[in-house]
Amino acid sequence: MHLSNISIKGYKVVNETSTVALHKGLNVIVGENASGKTSIIDAIRLLLREDEFGFSPVSEKDFHKPFTDNSQPADNFFIQGQFSGLSKDDKVTFLPWYDLKEHATLSLKFENKEKYGRYKKQVWGGSSKSSVFEWELFDKINCIYLPPLRDAEAKLKEGKSSRLAKLLKNLEASAIKDAKGNYKLHKLEERFKVFNDEIATSEDFPIKGMNDKISQQLKDAVGQTFGQHTHISFSEVGFNRIAESLRLFFFPGIEEHENKENYRSLDENSLGHNNLLYLATILAELIDSGEQDERLKVLLVEEPEAHLHPQLQIKLLKYLETISLSREIQVIVTTHSPVLASSATINSLIHICSNNGKVNATPIKDTGLDYKVSIKCETHDGCSDITIPESADFLTRWLDTTKSTLLFAKGIILVEGIAEAFIVPQLAKKILKKYNSTNKPKLPESIDEAGVSVVNMNGIYFKHFMRLFCNFGIEDKESANIPIRCSGMTDQDPEKDLDENGNKTIPASPTTANHNFGKNPALNLIATINKSEYCRLFVGPLKTLEYDLAMEGNNIQSMASVLAENWHNREEVYKELKEISEKDWCKETLKNKAEAANEILKRIEDKNMGKGYFAQLFSETITKNSELATPQYITNAVLWACGGKVSDQ
């Protein structure tokens, strides 16, 4: 049994009805700030009566209020959970919630009508509000929450709210009650009672003398009639008080240390390790709860990356995934960490974004990533088709900490290589400045300010990445899409030109070195991609990024200047580049310009330079050169991702 979806309306940042699909095992919810992740977690806590939240009173801030002038809070808020995967025993236990469609539902509604500091509440199971609600069913649900900025030290110290106390009480629940449910003396209580009796009566300890002196002073002060007898002991011997007196100490190593005096208190430990100790206590409480008839165990964790370095984040997430399956605990994690997002399996990721009070939740596994495609090689006779792997497997391998930023962005620009990754963000500043001078509403002044990520795919893998944002190539099947704008930049990659010596002026890329398709295979996707709501693929008009950039305006002059200033050895090359950098290429013929652009491209790809190094150097020039021209396809890619209007190429 697991919580398969949560529907919310009018609660906190959620205005319109929003449904988040969840699955058994590990769920990793990702998305930008203020997208609704915390509202989802709090809604689950409230619905399932999580120990530290479910009994707290609702406040006026829980009713959604739009960020508009003279706005009014919602009249009510509604939360509904659906439970799936019910066993035969689950169906019997939760029969009042069962809807006869292999699901159980639990609904909660609060009216925005305050009376005596509280708001009117309705709770019902199944489809009928009128049926008698059995509150005892919540005893079959164990929901535990770990906040993002948790005070682990305070939670592990002694007291009524101590997690150590709760763990011991859960583990010993059956040991303090008999078969009829009546309280019985626990062996810990017996030992404490013997200890207290011994120190209170023995002449070997000062306790007896203290007690006698206090009693004598009372007798002398108020007399025999009004005096009271006293008894001194170290603690009450009740099981709950014993449990609440427990404290946790640590030693910096996993092996037990023989000398107990070497153990330290938690205030001497690091925040990160205290968080891990706290989480370990929570997991012990969930895994060995002592309740044999618990039907649902849910662990809610907000930002587990708090105070943990990347290696620990990865280790922790993998462990949560393991115990979620082996111990049948549904784990729901929210995170801002690209490290965690890139370490999670594709099937566990759920992307969240918000638009005018509606939360859009997209399970990545539902975006149609299971599609395989074969491309026929038309170059070599008898050559077998090239099979591109499943997109899910591909993205699992490729979504590292840099590429996984696409899961937290407001917009995406997919590029083929490191050169575009360096150059596009700098060109974007010029593009956005020019756009804002003639258009309203204005766009942010940079892609960073716009929350747009440039993702370097290191190849022409648009088919795999863009499947997250649009449907294509899937017959008779609709898939979910992440509802944010995604643009891609790609090259024409025409047949390779040969110079007078028979050398290719544009070397084959690593992805097509053995199979010359004659053109970029990603171009076959444009017709479908560009009809979608969120995706566009923009193509350079000529050859490749550097060549197309050189053919714009007087860019050859700036590019040749950068090459000349940073060229090593071969004096004749330096002189040639210097001459190119001193011409006004706006006045040259198209043929001369193309020859110079080819020369620029040749030198960029020379072993003395390289595309990545040149892009780094040239990106510094972009910010200083106000006259630099930008190819239209780059302009369109930037504007689309940032939410602007694009022009026909």
Side-chain angles (χ1 to χ4, degrees):
M1 175 177 174
H2 66 279
L3 181 64
S4 55
N5 69 55
I6 183 85
S7 294
I8 311 167
K9 181 181 181 181
Y11 182 64
K12 294 196 172 183
V13 304
V14 184
N15 185 18
E16 298 182 33
T17 300
S18 303
T19 300
V20 181
L22 302 164
H23 44 265
K24 187 177 181 180
L26 178 66
N27 299 259
V28 181
I29 300 177
V30 297
E32 60 178 318
N33 285 334
S35 58
K37 297 190 295 296
T38 297
S39 295
I40 293 167
I41 293 294
D42 284 348
I44 296 173
R45 294 173 67 195
L46 190 60
L47 183 70
L48 300 185
R49 292 170 63 86
E50 182 266 326
D51 193 35
E52 296 183 3
F53 193 77
F55 299 97
S56 300
V58 167
S59 72
E60 60 180 345
K61 295 180 180 179
D62 291 322
F63 296 90
H64 177 79
K65 186 176 181 180
F67 288 97
T68 56
D69 294 338
N70 301 318
S71 62
Q72 297 296 318
D75 293 333
N76 58 71
F77 70 74
F78 173 75
I79 302 170
Q80 184 178 77
Q82 183 184 81
F83 305 90
S84 301
L86 278 70
S87 66
K88 290 183 178 179
D89 289 340
D90 294 334
K91 292 176 183 177
V92 172
T93 302
F94 291 95
L95 184 61
W97 299 2
Y98 197 51
D99 60 7
L100 302 181
K101 297 179 181 179
E102 302 302 317
H103 301 295
T105 58
L106 174 63
S107 303
L108 171 66
K109 185 176 182 180
F110 273 89
E111 299 285 346
N112 194 357
K113 297 177 181 178
E114 186 180 10
K115 186 175 182 180
Y116 306 123
R118 294 185 176 274
Y119 293 86
K120 183 180 178 181
K121 177 175 68 173
Q122 284 182 292
V123 183
W124 67 95
S127 57
S128 176
K129 292 183 182 181
S130 59
S131 59
V132 176
F133 189 78
E134 299 180 11
W135 293 96
E136 294 80 7
L137 290 180
F138 283 111
D139 295 335
K140 311 300 181 185
I141 298 174
N142 191 355
C143 178
I144 299 181
Y145 167 72
L146 271 72
L149 298 175
R150 43 196 169 271
D151 189 351
E153 184 184 337
K155 291 293 184 182
L156 293 173
K157 281 187 176 180
E158 65 271 28
K160 289 186 177 181
S161 62
S162 167
R163 280 292 175 184
L164 294 174
K166 292 181 180 180
L167 175 58
L168 181 60
K169 291 175 184 177
N170 283 338
L171 292 176
E172 294 295 287
S174 61
I176 60 177
K177 290 184 179 181
D178 59 24
K180 296 182 179 180
N182 299 318
Y183 180 81
K184 65 180 181 179
L185 199 65
H186 190 273
K187 56 187 176 181
L188 273 176
E189 295 173 290
E190 294 175 353
R191 294 290 295 271
F192 266 78
K193 186 177 185 301
V194 171
F195 170 72
N196 271 325
D197 289 344
E198 181 181 354
I199 64 170
T201 58
S202 174
E203 298 291 345
D204 296 333
F205 300 103
I207 306 301
K208 182 178 184 302
M210 292 169 56
N211 194 58
D212 291 342
K213 288 182 180 297
I214 293 172
S215 296
Q216 186 62 47
Q217 290 298 323
L218 277 170
K219 181 179 178 180
D220 294 345
V222 298
Q224 184 75 30
T225 303
F226 297 104
Q228 293 178 325
H229 195 67
T230 59
H231 173 74
I232 298 175
S233 66
F234 276 104
S235 171
E236 290 186 24
V237 295
F239 178 78
N240 286 342
R241 290 299 299 271
I242 294 172
E244 291 163 8
S245 299
L246 291 174
R247 292 191 68 184
L248 182 67
F249 297 86
F250 80 97
F251 183 83
I254 197 63
E255 297 298 329
E256 183 179 357
H257 199 274
E258 293 182 0
N259 187 352
K260 304 302 181 185
E261 293 181 359
N262 285 333
Y263 281 77
R264 299 288 188 268
S265 62
L266 294 182
D267 56 8
E268 299 176 83
N269 204 5
S270 70
L271 291 174
H273 278 93
N274 277 349
N275 275 341
L276 290 176
L277 291 173
Y278 182 29
L279 180 59
T281 307
I282 293 297
L283 291 173
E285 186 179 337
L286 268 174
I287 292 171
D288 298 308
S289 63
E291 293 290 339
Q292 300 301 318
D293 58 347
E294 280 183 349
R295 298 298 176 185
L296 175 65
K297 296 181 179 181
V298 180
L299 175 61
L300 307 171
V301 188
E302 283 202 86
E303 300 175 27
E305 64 268 22
H307 308 300
L308 300 182
H309 61 260
Q311 290 83 357
L312 268 179
Q313 291 182 37
I314 296 170
K315 184 72 174 174
L316 174 59
L317 185 73
K318 294 302 181 185
Y319 179 67
L320 290 175
E321 184 174 33
T322 299
I323 64 105
S324 70
L325 297 175
S326 63
R327 301 288 185 166
E328 295 189 351
I329 299 173
Q330 187 174 18
V331 181
I332 303 173
V333 173
T334 66
T335 183
H336 295 113
S337 169
V339 173
L340 287 179
S342 62
S343 303
T345 59
I346 286 291
N347 285 345
S348 69
L349 291 171
I350 301 171
H351 181 274
I352 298 289
C353 62
S354 179
N355 183 22
N356 295 326
K358 181 175 176 59
V359 171
N360 296 291
T362 308
I364 303 302
K365 67 181 180 64
D366 293 341
T367 56
L369 296 181
D370 57 348
Y371 178 70
K372 287 184 179 179
V373 63
S374 295
I375 301 177
K376 188 173 182 59
C377 176
E378 299 177 352
T379 304
H380 305 103
D381 293 336
C383 182
S384 59
D385 293 352
I386 302 169
T387 301
I388 294 179
E390 293 181 0
S391 295
D393 294 337
F394 180 90
L395 291 176
T396 297
R397 293 191 296 270
W398 278 79
L399 277 180
D400 59 18
T401 54
T402 55
K403 298 178 185 67
S404 63
T405 57
L406 65 84
L407 298 171
F408 304 94
K410 287 182 176 293
I412 310 295
I413 303 175
L414 298 174
V415 297
E416 295 182 9
I418 189 65
E420 291 91 341
F422 277 123
I423 290 173
V424 168
Q426 300 304 322
L427 287 176
K429 295 176 183 177
K430 294 182 176 294
I431 294 168
L432 293 169
K433 182 178 181 180
K434 182 178 179 181
Y435 180 89
N436 288 337
S437 66
T438 57
N439 289 275
K440 288 184 179 181
K442 296 183 182 298
L443 298 177
E445 297 180 355
S446 69
I447 58 174
D448 290 336
E449 187 180 334
V452 171
S453 287
V454 176
V455 177
N456 174 16
M457 301 181 296
N458 291 311
I460 49 176
Y461 305 120
F462 298 99
K463 177 179 289 291
H464 300 298
F465 282 89
M466 281 192 164
R467 290 185 67 81
L468 297 171
F469 309 96
C470 71
N471 300 335
F472 56 88
I474 307 176
E475 296 181 1
D476 301 324
K477 180 180 179 181
E478 283 296 321
S479 62
N481 301 133
I482 296 177
I484 64 174
R485 283 195 174 195
C486 173
S487 64
M489 288 173 43
T490 192
D491 303 324
Q492 286 281 0
D493 287 339
E495 294 287 355
K496 311 309 178 186
D497 297 332
L498 303 180
D499 60 20
E500 62 273 13
N501 298 317
N503 298 317
K504 294 177 181 178
T505 57
I506 305 178
S509 67
T511 56
T512 58
N514 299 323
H515 293 81
N516 184 0
F517 294 106
K519 66 175 183 176
N520 180 350
L523 303 183
N524 297 326
L525 306 175
I526 292 178
T528 303
I529 289 175
N530 288 5
K531 291 178 182 178
S532 69
E533 183 176 358
Y534 300 109
C535 284
R536 295 292 183 273
L537 183 57
F538 300 101
V539 186
L542 301 171
K543 294 182 180 179
T544 189
L545 170 71
E546 294 82 2
Y547 184 92
D548 288 12
L549 195 60
M551 291 297 289
E552 291 290 327
N554 197 28
N555 290 353
I556 290 176
Q557 187 181 86
S558 297
M559 296 172 76
S561 179
V562 170
L563 286 168
E565 290 172 5
N566 295 277
W567 197 259
H568 302 285
N569 304 323
R570 297 170 64 183
E571 186 68 21
E572 69 278 7
V573 174
Y574 169 79
K575 290 180 179 179
E576 182 180 349
L577 291 171
K578 190 68 175 174
E579 290 178 4
I580 294 175
S581 70
E582 292 172 349
K583 287 186 179 181
D584 182 355
W585 290 94
C586 291
K587 298 179 180 179
E588 294 292 326
T589 64
L590 189 61
K591 179 181 178 181
N592 290 343
K593 203 170 183 178
E595 290 175 353
N598 265 323
E599 183 66 21
I600 292 291
L601 182 59
K602 176 182 175 182
R603 299 308 174 190
I604 289 174
E605 294 177 333
D606 191 286
K607 64 180 181 180
N608 290 297
M609 180 59 61
K611 286 193 170 190
Y613 183 46
F614 173 78
Q616 282 184 287
L617 298 170
F618 188 61
S619 62
E620 296 177 8
T621 301
I622 293 173
T623 59
K624 303 173 184 176
N625 186 351
S626 59
E627 301 300 321
L628 200 72
T630 304
Q632 189 62 47
Y633 81 108
I634 298 179
T635 297
N636 285 345
V638 170
L639 293 179
W640 177 262
C642 292
K645 296 175 288 186
V646 300
S647 303
D648 294 333
Q649 298 191 76

